[in-house]
C-alpha cells in the first residue's frame, strides 16, 4: 500500500484489549458455552477446525472490508470481485493451460484493479462508496456470467488446491487456508496499530479534514486502501477455489453482507475511525459458531439468517449508543 507519510511511527507500548474487542470475545465464549450444552459434538477441535475452514475466505474478505469501513466507507462489490478473480484463475489454469503461478497472479491483479477502480471513482469523482460499490457489484456480476458463459470451471489443477492441504496440530487436521487467514489478520493488525500509514487510516475515518490539513494526501491513502482490499479479495478467491473445488458463476453473491456482518459484530464502527481487525476475526468466528451450532442442533438455515440479522442490529445499536455517549 502507498505510504502517505515518511514520518517515523511513534513508539507505542503494549495495551490491553479495549472493550470493543472484549465485547465480541465475551459473546463468542458465551455462544460456545451455549452450543456445548446443546450438542456433545460441538466442543471438539474437529468442529473448530471446520469452523475455521468455513470462515477462511469470508474472513479474508472481511479484512479488506474492515480497512474500508475504518475510512468511513463500505464495499458491496467485494464478493463479486472475489468471484471474478476465482473465475479468471480457474479458466486461465484449466481451460487455457497457463502455469498456475501466472493464473494466480492474473487473479490477484484483477482483484487489485477493480479495487483501484472503486477507489478512483470515490476519490476523483467524489461519489459515495455505497453507490460506487453497488454499481460495481452489478457490473462485475455481469462480467462473471459473460466471461464464464454461466458455466462452472471444475477440478482445478493440483497446484491451485495447495491451500486445501492439511497439517496436524494436537491430533486435529487444519488446512493451510485457515492458517493463511489467521496470518493475514495478524499482519493487518500489526500494520494498523504499529505503522504510521495504519494510524492514518483511523485518522481518515475520524476527521478527514484534519488529516488533509496535516499534509497527508487523503485521496492517495483512500485509493491505496481500496486497491489493497481488492488484492485481498483476490487472495480470498484462492481460498474459495480450495473450499468449493472450482470456480462457479454463482459464487460471491452474499459475501458482501457476511463480511459486513463480521466487521460490525467485531466492533468496528460503520461511521469510521474506530475498530479492530482482530474484532473482525472474532465477529467472523461468531457467525461460524452460530451456523455450526445451529446445524448440530438440527435447526433450519433460516434461523441462522434470523440470528445473524439480530446480531447485526444489536451491534450497530451498541455502536450508535456508544457514539452518543462519547
Amino acid at each position: 500500500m502507498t505510504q502517505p507519510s515518511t514520518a517515523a511511527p511513534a513508539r507505542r507500548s503494549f495495551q490491553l484489549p479495549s472493550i470493543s474487542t472484549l465485547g465480541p470475545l465475551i459473546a463468542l465464549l458465551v455462544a460456545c458455552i451455549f452450543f456445548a450444552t446443546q450438542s456433545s459434538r460441538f466442543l471438539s477441535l474437529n468442529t473448530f477446525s471446520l469452523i475455521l475452514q468455513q470462515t477462511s475466505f469470508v474472513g479474508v474478505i472481511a479484512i479488506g472490508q474492515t480497512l474500508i469501513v475504518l475510512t468511513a466507507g463500505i464495499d458491496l462489490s467485494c464478493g463479486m470481485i472475489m468471484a471474478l478473480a476465482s473465475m479468471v484463475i480457474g479458466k486461465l489454469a484449466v481451460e487455457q493451460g497457463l502455469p498456475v503461478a501466472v493464473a494466480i497472479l492474473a487473479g490477484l491483479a484483477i482483484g487489485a484493479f477493480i479495487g483501484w477502480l472503486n477507489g478512483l471513482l470515490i476519490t476523483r469523482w467524489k461519489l459515495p462508496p455505497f453507490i460506487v460499490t453497488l454499481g460495481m457489484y452489478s457490473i462485475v456480476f455481469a462480467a462473471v456470467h459473460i466471461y464464464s458463459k454461466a458455466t462452472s470451471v471444475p477440478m482445478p489443477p493440483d497446484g491451485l488446491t495447495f491451500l486445501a492441504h492439511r497439517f496436524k496440530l494436537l491430533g486435529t487436521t487444519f488446512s493451510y487456508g485457515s492458517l493463511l487467514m489467521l496470518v493475514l489478520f495478524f499482519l493487518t493488525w500489526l500494520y494498523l496499530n504499529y505503522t504510521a500509514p495504519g494510524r492514518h487510516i483511523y485518522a481518515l475515518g475520524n476527521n478527514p479534514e484534519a488529516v488533509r490539513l496535516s499534509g497527508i494526501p487523503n485521496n492517495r491513502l483512500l485509493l491505496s486502501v481500496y486497491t489493497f482490499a481488492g488484492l485481498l479479495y483476490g487472495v480470498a478467491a484462492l481460498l474459495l477455489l480450495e473450499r468449493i473445488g472450482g470456480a462457479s458463476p454463482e459464487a460471491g453473491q452474499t459475501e458482501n453482507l457476511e463480511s459486513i456482518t463480521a466487521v460490525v459484530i467485531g466492533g468496528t464502527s460503520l461511521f469510521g475511525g474506530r475498530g479492530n481487525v482482530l474484532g473482525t476475526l472474532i465477529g467472523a468466528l461468531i457467525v461460524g459458531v452460530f451456523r455450526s451450532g445451529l446445524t448440530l442442533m438440527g435447526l433450519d438455515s433460516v434461523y441462522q439468517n434470523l440470528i445473524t440479522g439480530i446480531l447485526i442490529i444489536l451491534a450497530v445499536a451498541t455502536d450508535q449508543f456508544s457514539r452518543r455517549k462519547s
Side-chain angles (χ1 to χ4, degrees):
M1 294 177 64
T2 303
Q3 294 191 358
S5 171
T6 56
R11 183 177 298 175
R12 296 189 60 177
S13 59
F14 177 79
Q15 295 178 342
L16 291 174
S18 63
I19 189 64
S20 63
T21 301
L22 288 177
L25 185 60
I26 293 171
L28 177 62
L29 291 175
V30 170
C32 289
I33 293 171
F34 172 75
F35 287 116
T37 63
Q38 301 300 312
S39 172
S40 58
R41 292 182 296 162
F42 180 81
L43 205 57
S44 69
L45 282 177
N46 285 330
T47 300
F48 285 103
S49 172
L50 183 61
I51 290 173
L52 278 177
Q53 290 177 45
Q54 293 173 339
T55 306
S56 58
F57 65 89
V58 174
V60 173
I61 290 178
I63 296 174
Q65 189 74 263
T66 302
L67 295 173
I68 290 174
V69 171
L70 283 175
T71 66
I74 199 163
D75 190 351
L76 300 179
S77 62
C78 52
M80 293 315 304
I81 296 175
M82 174 192 67
L84 179 59
S86 68
M87 189 58 70
V88 168
I89 295 171
K91 287 183 80 71
L92 291 181
V94 177
E95 296 186 0
Q96 304 299 321
L98 293 179
V100 170
V102 174
I104 291 175
L105 287 176
L108 296 177
I110 195 71
F113 172 73
I114 299 176
W116 173 82
L117 200 55
N118 277 336
L120 191 69
L121 292 171
I122 292 167
T123 56
R124 296 296 175 85
W125 288 9
K126 307 299 180 187
L127 299 177
F130 181 89
I131 299 299
V132 169
T133 57
L134 180 61
M136 193 60 72
Y137 175 97
S138 297
I139 293 170
V140 179
F141 176 81
V144 170
H145 280 256
I146 292 170
Y147 179 55
S148 67
K149 298 177 182 175
T151 58
S152 300
V153 179
M155 300 303 293
D158 291 341
L160 271 181
T161 57
F162 63 95
L163 290 172
H165 293 170
R166 303 287 192 269
F167 65 95
K168 277 207 166 186
L169 181 66
L170 301 175
T172 304
T173 56
F174 293 87
S175 72
Y176 284 102
S178 302
L179 181 63
L180 174 63
M181 176 194 70
L182 295 176
V183 169
L184 288 174
F185 266 106
F186 180 67
L187 292 178
T188 307
W189 176 77
L190 289 177
Y191 175 80
L192 287 173
N193 288 277
Y194 294 96
T195 70
R199 292 196 294 279
H200 292 162
I201 291 175
Y202 280 100
L204 187 62
N206 269 323
N207 193 334
E209 184 61 17
V211 172
R212 186 186 67 80
L213 293 175
S214 66
I216 299 170
N218 287 17
N219 286 347
R220 190 187 305 174
L221 178 60
L222 202 55
L223 192 60
S224 68
V225 168
Y226 277 88
T227 304
F228 185 65
L231 181 65
L232 287 172
Y233 306 153
V235 175
L238 293 173
L239 298 172
L240 177 68
L241 287 168
E242 175 262 322
R243 183 66 190 155
I244 66 176
S248 168
E250 303 304 324
Q253 298 183 36
T254 60
E255 277 71 12
N256 51 4
L257 181 59
E258 293 180 14
S259 64
I260 293 170
T261 300
V263 171
V264 173
I265 293 177
T268 297
S269 172
L270 285 176
F271 300 96
R274 291 192 310 171
N276 189 323
V277 74
L278 295 184
T280 299
L281 171 60
I282 296 172
L285 291 176
I286 288 175
V287 176
V289 163
F290 268 94
R291 286 184 174 171
S292 294
L294 292 174
T295 301
L296 289 174
M297 290 173 63
L299 294 179
D300 192 87
S301 61
V302 69
Y303 289 98
Q304 301 172 16
N305 297 331
L306 173 68
I307 292 178
T308 300
I310 292 173
L311 288 175
I312 293 175
I313 293 174
L314 287 176
V316 173
T318 302
D319 176 50
Q320 186 81 324
F321 176 76
S322 174
R323 285 178 61 86
R324 288 175 181 172
K325 191 175 180 182
S326 62

